[in-house]
Amino acid sequence: MRETVKALNTTFSAPSVSCPLPDELCATIESFLERYDNIDDHDSQRFHEDLHTLYQRHVAGSPEKHGAFLAVLRLVRPAVTGEARLTTWWNLAVKPTIDGIGHKRQEIEDAREFLQSILVYDAEADKDGEHARLSSLFTKRVLDAYLARTNVPSSPEDTISPENEFVSSELESVLVTFGRKMPKVTI
């Protein structure tokens, strides 16, 4: 874990970060995920804290690094578990990307893939129901964001802003993709 955090810090402390991510960084992340295949809560918390510190120090104030960070977040998603940790990343990086405008297509795709990794789960492998609970929670969050953007005009003079139309379309796409992959799930 230490070498992955070090590689991420080295990458994001630079003035700019290339996107797509450097191959060496992707290989380091893959190796980390192989070692921590079934990461426990303690290690996930440690990794989350290191990632959060990196985000606050190198990404939060540098919008040009946001896209690369979302790519990292998508890749390390198997190591980020638990409602509190996932909610942190929803609030800091994912929701602002899929519920906003001005982001590059790849940033939106990375945020959507991160979100789909929470929404879609293997029901047979979900023995304790935790994945189903998280899926339901985040589906509700996406649905709430979607409904907030889809105001039905009450008169012919009312119009839907282009921003709301674009964002609601993106959010709808997330929900439709989830629905296609897990059609029998109810929220």
Side-chain angles (χ1 to χ4, degrees):
M1 183 181 313
R2 205 173 299 138
E3 66 191 42
T4 303
V5 172
K6 182 179 178 185
L8 289 170
N9 271 307
T10 299
T11 301
F12 282 93
S13 65
S16 66
V17 181
S18 67
C19 212
L21 298 170
D23 291 339
E24 312 82 56
L25 181 61
C26 291
T28 301
I29 291 170
E30 271 184 44
S31 175
F32 161 69
L33 292 174
E34 286 172 12
R35 271 193 307 266
Y36 288 88
D37 184 33
N38 287 317
I39 195 163
D40 65 27
D41 194 59
H42 174 75
D43 286 339
S44 181
Q45 181 63 32
R46 267 189 23 224
F47 182 69
H48 164 77
E49 288 169 359
D50 290 339
L51 197 60
H52 189 261
T53 299
L54 175 143
Y55 178 84
Q56 295 297 341
R57 187 175 296 149
H58 301 297
V59 180
S62 303
E64 68 280 1
K65 295 180 182 180
H66 184 77
F69 186 80
L70 278 168
V72 166
L73 198 58
R74 177 183 53 83
L75 291 175
V76 301
R77 165 58 184 99
V80 179
T81 61
E83 181 181 341
R85 292 180 284 272
L86 292 169
T87 297
T88 296
W89 296 116
W90 163 259
N91 291 331
L92 288 177
V94 177
K95 185 176 187 273
T97 303
I98 63 167
D99 192 17
I101 60 166
H103 300 283
K104 294 178 181 167
R105 174 58 45 198
Q106 188 57 51
E107 291 177 43
I108 295 169
E109 289 303 315
D110 287 333
R112 287 170 58 166
E113 283 188 43
F114 179 88
L115 196 50
Q116 288 298 333
S117 74
I118 300 169
L119 300 180
V120 178
Y121 61 94
D122 181 357
E124 291 179 17
D126 188 26
K127 302 296 182 209
D128 62 358
E130 180 65 9
H131 294 291
R133 191 183 69 71
L134 287 171
S135 177
S136 178
L137 174 72
F138 280 87
T139 301
K140 183 174 178 349
R141 288 178 180 173
V142 175
L143 189 56
D144 288 346
Y146 173 74
L147 292 173
R149 293 287 189 161
T150 55
N151 303 347
V152 177
S154 57
S155 70
E157 296 83 39
D158 289 344
T159 59
I160 298 173
S161 75
E163 177 182 333
N164 281 348
E165 191 171 338
F166 174 79
V167 172
S168 67
S169 175
E170 291 297 323
L171 292 165
E172 181 179 319
S173 176
V174 169
L175 293 167
V176 167
T177 300
F178 167 63
R180 286 185 177 146
K181 289 182 179 179
M182 299 199 70
K184 296 181 181 186
V185 173
T186 58
I187 32 177

